Amino acid sequence: MGIEKNSYRTRPKMPLPPPCCGLIVVGSKLPVPLKGISVDVQVKGFVADVSATLKYKNEEEKAVEAIFVFPMDEDSAVYSFEAKVEGKTIVADLQEKKQAHKTYDEAISKGQQAFLLEEDESSADVFSCNVGNLPPGQEAEVTLKYVRELPIEADGAVRFVLPAVLNPRYTPEDQPVSVTATRPQVPIGDIPYTLSLSAHFQSAYGIAKILSNCDISPVEHTNEDKTAAKVSLAEGHKFERDVELLAYYSEVNKPSVTVEAGTVPADASKEPKSSVSHKLWTLVQQKFSSKPHIRLESLMTESVAMLNFYPSFPAVQEQTNCGEFIFVVDQSGSMACAMNSEPNAPQRIDSAKETLILLLKSLPLGCYFNIFGFGSHFESFFTESKEYTQQSMEEAVKKVNEMKSNFGGTEILRPLKNIYDTAGRPDHPRQLFLFTDGEVGNTKEVIDEVQKNSNNHRCFAFGIGEGASTSLIKGMARAGSGIFEFITGKDRMQTKVLRALKCSLQPTVKNVSLTWSLPSGMEAILLSKVPTAIFQGQRSIVYAQLKGKVETEAEGEVCLQYNFKDELLKNTIHFPLKVEKAERPTIHRLAAKSLISELECGKDSRSEDGKKRILEVSLESGVISSLTAFVAVNKDTKTPVEGPPVRRDIPAPGFMHDQKRGQINDVSQAERQNSGPVMKSGEWEQHEKSTEWPYDIVVRWKQHEGTTEWLSDSLELSAAALSGGGHRVAQRQSVEVVALSGGHSGKVTV
């Protein structure tokens, strides 16, 4: 290919588990305690309020602790968690995370039933739900509720996704092992639990149609003017792929302001000591008693406004030929997996290549470009960015067609640093395009690196295939003042690609500001940052708290203004200030989530004051954060469970290659060393089986030219089996696993 190779190489390769599979459950005879999931979705305009109920039943002879690790869009504001056992509903408390773990562990040790819901520390789009001490024969339900903003697709569709696929994420050296790597997976089609989902849509502008990637019922309009409609999944649906619903409204790009009245008392310190508000306030103050007292802000008391802007620019814009376009393509092993669970679905690497070629053929003549491929190492097509001509484009397309998913692990930080350390070209603003399935375990470090260099480029991120990390893709685009897109199939790919390219060719908007005109005695306090990335026709959302008394028939005005080239542009919205109390404080929760996310991504997020502010917002609003968790304890457990429960990790769908099967070996818990088997040509699977573990273990090998290669991204495979064993292993307990093959060895701890 004539590719310029970077001198960087990672540590020597060692035996690792398969790139697309994680821990695969094959032929396990043990029952799975999760029996079904039912979801109710209420969409009003561009906001979804979701209630998901997980139904469990213990069919074993011993008490179990069921642990379900699942994906969640990172923008979801989780605000409620409750359990139902034997007709009794137990509402969970939102506590500081360490305190929640302590509450849960103490309850388990006492033989009480306990329930825990938390966000993973490594990424905001991964959650885990623990159902502890579920006695033999007993049933239990847990329900979590969340709200989230819905994006508008390039073709105008309002998109709701219930994610099912959570790909095992590669963990670079010196990083904690990702919880996704210890989550068991089953082949597509073998999911042991079902999903039922009903969705109700409301739009003041009318609903033209609703489409889905899954089998759904015919759209039923529930009123004459077609402003409300409902659909549901086909009966018996297996939760083995992301569920996508696309609602097409008659009008979407209309600016609006939604004002929601406050709901709870402002000063929790003055509430009765028995109230939840006072308890939360006390917890925060005790946690940071060494710091001066800071009164909790009245986030939930005052009215909150959600501003939806759709900036517009002068109609006539000349085509620019300026720009340095850097394309960064994931060539790790996991990109060989299928895009989705559909028959004959293309590989992720093929979809990334198709997307990239479409972009390459659309670039303006006279710009500059370069292409990087990355995995455990990275390579660039050219030693430096090359001028875009017909000849250089054809040369690049030829090389793109030769790209393969054979670069090992997903280490994105190294190529990014290399690109940022290289000076850009004068008069050619740098535009970075990333194509990845998002299977990384160091999401926050990657986003921080983009943020540090945000003044020198814009970042446009494409998530390839189902299961791409929303935290990584959205986080990089937001940090780099670009936009993000998710490609899960060929449908609508072209419109998404061309929208991103159009945004990259638009000159940067400068001096963005927000001005208010409110009645005397009222003031607006921003709860989210003023948007820095503004693009033609792209929605920009801002949250603000409105403090002060509202007079009858009073109106307000807000103006988003910015400099585009040499022109000052203004987008002004007039709105009424009289509001009625909402049945659910949806806008407040979304605003709280926005504020929490900004605080967690801020420079002070790791400082004591930064953590205090995150805790304050989370506990007062009731919206979960990286520092809090929901915990519920059934203190009325009739018969306490004796001894630790048996841990059962709930399996999830996983994409697998078609491979030849190897023999099944019996391996005891004490014999966790594997000296690779006699290999034959081609690809091979080894199944390790033990009566002491709930699942078989699958290790995948590939033999060619006398050498042995592990088809994998990380070594968490066997470690997952230990943590899922018949005895209870605490999540933070250290377990060492050693694997040997072809003269290489490696070990990990979890």
Side-chain angles (χ1 to χ4, degrees):
M1 290 174 59
I3 291 177
E4 298 292 336
K5 294 189 176 182
N6 188 280
S7 60
Y8 166 75
R9 290 290 186 275
T10 57
R11 57 197 183 278
K13 284 189 176 181
M14 62 184 186
L16 302 170
C20 306
C21 308
L23 177 60
I24 301 297
V25 182
V26 181
S28 174
K29 296 180 180 179
L30 293 174
V32 174
L34 179 61
K35 300 304 177 184
I37 302 173
S38 61
V39 179
D40 176 68
V41 183
Q42 300 288 333
V43 177
K44 292 184 178 180
F46 308 100
V47 174
D49 198 327
V50 184
S51 174
T53 299
L54 284 62
K55 301 176 182 179
Y56 293 86
K57 183 176 181 179
N58 181 8
E59 297 177 340
E60 301 189 44
E61 296 180 355
K62 296 182 179 179
V64 300
E65 177 185 33
I67 298 177
F68 186 34
V69 177
F70 58 95
M72 176 94 68
D73 189 287
E74 76 143 8
D75 291 330
S76 301
V78 181
Y79 65 87
S80 174
F81 182 58
E82 62 183 36
K84 188 174 182 180
V85 181
E86 296 181 331
K88 177 184 178 182
T89 299
I90 309 162
V91 179
D93 291 328
L94 185 63
Q95 299 181 358
E96 189 271 333
K97 184 172 285 188
K98 290 182 179 178
Q99 178 60 44
H101 284 175
K102 181 180 179 182
T103 301
Y104 178 82
D105 291 339
E106 287 180 351
I108 296 297
S109 65
K110 294 177 181 177
Q112 296 174 322
Q113 287 178 309
F115 308 86
L116 181 71
L117 178 71
E118 62 181 323
E119 175 187 308
D120 185 59
E121 293 182 359
S122 66
S123 187
D125 61 351
V126 179
F127 275 71
S128 62
C129 174
N130 293 31
V131 176
N133 278 341
L134 187 63
Q138 190 173 89
E139 298 181 2
E141 292 183 358
V142 294
T143 299
L144 64 98
K145 298 178 181 179
Y146 64 91
V147 293
R148 59 158 302 207
E149 305 160 359
L150 298 182
I152 300 175
E153 298 288 274
D155 63 351
V158 177
R159 181 174 184 254
F160 169 81
V161 174
L162 182 70
V165 179
L166 178 58
N167 300 316
R169 297 182 182 177
Y170 175 83
T171 304
E173 195 174 32
D174 302 326
Q175 294 288 334
V177 175
S178 170
V179 69
T180 62
T182 65
R183 187 180 82 147
Q185 295 184 322
V186 296
I188 296 297
D190 291 349
I191 288 292
Y193 45 87
T194 59
L195 169 70
S196 64
L197 180 145
S198 63
H200 296 73
F201 288 81
Q202 295 182 38
S203 171
Y205 307 110
I207 301 169
K209 59 182 177 180
I210 300 174
L211 304 178
S212 178
N213 63 336
C214 301
D215 291 334
I216 59 173
S217 64
V219 177
E220 179 185 346
H221 287 96
T222 55
N223 55 13
E224 293 183 358
D225 58 5
K226 295 187 177 182
T227 57
K230 65 179 182 179
V231 295
S232 59
L233 280 179
E235 191 174 347
H237 179 89
K238 295 287 187 179
F239 198 18
E240 60 191 19
R241 68 172 304 181
D242 295 350
V243 177
E244 180 183 64
L245 296 176
L246 300 171
Y248 291 83
Y249 300 161
S250 300
E251 186 176 355
V252 290
N253 297 326
K254 188 171 183 178
S256 64
V257 176
T258 303
V259 182
E260 184 178 81
T263 58
V264 299
D267 193 347
S269 63
K270 296 180 181 179
E271 288 295 292
K273 292 185 178 181
S274 59
S275 70
V276 174
S277 298
H278 188 280
K279 290 179 180 178
L280 296 180
W281 176 84
T282 303
L283 177 61
V284 174
Q285 298 305 322
Q286 290 176 345
K287 174 71 178 176
F288 296 93
S289 57
S290 61
K291 290 291 179 180
H293 168 70
I294 300 178
R295 174 183 168 272
L296 287 179
E297 296 294 335
S298 53
L299 176 63
M300 303 300 286
T301 303
E302 305 288 351
S303 296
V304 170
M306 179 183 184
L307 318 176
N308 288 275
F309 291 99
Y310 292 88
S312 58
F313 301 97
V316 179
Q317 294 185 34
E318 70 276 10
Q319 176 70 49
T320 178
N321 60 354
C322 297
E324 180 192 27
F325 296 85
I326 307 295
F327 303 100
V328 184
V329 183
D330 187 346
Q331 290 186 254
S332 65
S334 60
M335 291 292 284
C337 289
M339 289 283 290
N340 52 55
S341 61
E342 292 181 356
N344 303 316
Q347 292 184 346
R348 298 171 190 167
I349 186 66
D350 292 332
S351 181
K353 287 157 59 174
E354 184 179 354
T355 306
L356 175 54
I357 289 174
L358 183 56
L359 281 166
L360 281 175
K361 292 183 176 181
S362 305
L363 292 178
L365 291 172
C367 71
Y368 287 79
F369 77 105
N370 202 352
I371 299 172
F372 285 74
F374 73 91
S376 294
H377 67 280
F378 63 89
E379 301 173 351
S380 62
F381 279 20
F382 313 114
T383 54
E384 60 181 6
S385 296
K386 199 168 189 175
E387 184 177 357
Y388 181 82
T389 63
Q390 183 68 24
Q391 181 180 353
S392 63
M393 182 270 288
E394 292 176 354
E395 178 187 357
V397 168
K398 182 179 179 180
K399 292 180 179 181
V400 170
N401 282 322
E402 296 172 357
M403 299 178 84
K404 297 180 180 179
S405 53
N406 58 355
F407 277 26
T410 314
E411 300 209 17
I412 188 176
L413 207 51
R414 298 280 183 168
L416 284 180
K417 289 183 176 180
N418 177 271
I419 292 168
Y420 294 146
D421 289 342
T422 304
R425 290 182 171 272
D427 302 322
H428 287 275
R430 176 171 287 175
Q431 318 291 335
L432 188 146
F433 284 74
L434 174 76
F435 308 86
T436 179
D437 58 11
E439 295 188 9
V440 301
N442 59 338
T443 299
K444 293 180 180 179
E445 288 77 8
V446 173
I447 295 173
D448 287 345
E449 188 65 27
V450 176
Q451 181 68 53
K452 284 195 303 183
N453 296 274
S454 58
N455 292 329
N456 304 320
H457 81 300
R458 288 191 296 194
C459 180
F460 300 84
F462 286 79
I464 306 296
E466 291 187 359
S469 168
T470 58
S471 285
L472 179 72
I473 302 303
K474 291 184 176 183
M476 290 184 66
R478 288 167 177 166
S481 297
I483 69 169
F484 54 84
E485 299 284 0
F486 291 92
I487 308 293
T488 56
K490 287 194 174 183
D491 294 346
R492 302 172 294 116
M493 175 191 288
Q494 184 171 351
T495 56
K496 293 183 179 184
V497 170
L498 294 181
R499 175 169 71 168
L501 179 61
K502 184 178 180 181
C503 289
S504 70
L505 293 172
Q506 177 191 297
T508 302
V509 169
K510 299 179 180 179
N511 303 322
V512 185
S513 63
L514 204 63
T515 57
W516 297 81
S517 178
L518 298 171
S520 177
M522 289 196 70
E523 63 173 330
I525 301 174
L526 288 182
L527 299 174
S528 60
K529 294 180 180 178
V530 175
T532 56
I534 294 180
F535 299 102
Q536 172 71 34
Q538 295 288 294
R539 180 177 58 171
S540 294
I541 299 177
V542 180
Y543 293 98
Q545 186 180 66
L546 302 179
K547 304 190 73 171
K549 291 185 177 181
V550 179
E551 300 294 335
T552 305
E553 305 300 329
E555 289 189 349
E557 178 182 291
V558 60
C559 177
L560 180 70
Q561 61 182 31
Y562 43 87
N563 290 106
F564 179 74
K565 296 183 177 180
D566 298 325
E567 189 174 354
L568 176 64
L569 301 178
K570 296 183 179 181
N571 293 154
T572 303
I573 307 177
H574 299 270
F575 59 96
L577 288 169
K578 184 180 180 181
V579 294
E580 296 180 2
K581 289 189 176 181
E583 183 180 344
R584 298 176 179 177
T586 301
I587 304 302
H588 283 73
R589 288 164 177 158
L590 290 172
K593 176 62 179 179
S594 177
L595 180 55
I596 289 169
S597 296
E598 288 189 4
L599 291 170
E600 291 176 336
C601 294
K603 296 180 181 179
D604 299 329
S605 62
R606 295 177 179 86
S607 69
E608 193 168 317
D609 286 339
K611 291 179 180 178
K612 177 174 182 175
R613 183 58 181 150
I614 294 170
L615 274 173
E616 285 181 340
V617 177
S618 177
L619 293 175
E620 185 189 4
S621 66
V623 173
I624 204 169
S625 71
S626 60
L627 300 180
T628 53
F630 281 104
V631 62
V633 176
N634 183 7
K635 297 180 180 179
D636 297 329
T637 303
K638 295 178 180 178
T639 305
V641 173
E642 295 184 4
V646 177
R647 173 168 170 157
R648 293 290 179 255
D649 292 274
I650 306 300
F655 297 122
M656 300 198 300
H657 298 300
D658 291 330
Q659 296 182 335
K660 298 178 182 179
R661 301 272 180 187
Q663 64 187 27
I664 297 179
N665 298 329
D666 288 326
V667 183
S668 69
Q669 185 171 327
E671 300 171 333
R672 292 311 306 146
Q673 290 192 347
N674 171 28
S675 57
V678 177
M679 300 296 296
K680 298 180 180 180
S681 297
E683 297 180 351
W684 190 90
E685 277 189 1
Q686 177 186 351
H687 294 227
E688 301 174 346
K689 189 178 184 67
S690 172
T691 56
E692 298 181 26
W693 296 346
Y695 308 121
D696 298 347
I697 312 305
V698 176
V699 182
R700 293 188 170 181
W701 312 74
K702 184 176 182 180
Q703 175 75 8
H704 59 90
E705 299 180 357
T707 61
T708 299
E709 177 184 359
W710 283 58
L711 307 177
S712 62
D713 274 358
S714 52
L715 187 57
E716 293 81 36
L717 180 67
S718 296
L722 285 179
S723 63
H727 61 288
R728 184 167 188 267
V729 179
Q731 288 181 325
R732 293 165 292 283
Q733 180 174 336
S734 177
V735 179
E736 184 176 278
V737 179
V738 179
L740 304 173
S741 172
H744 298 295
S745 65
K747 57 185 178 181
V748 297
T749 58
V750 295

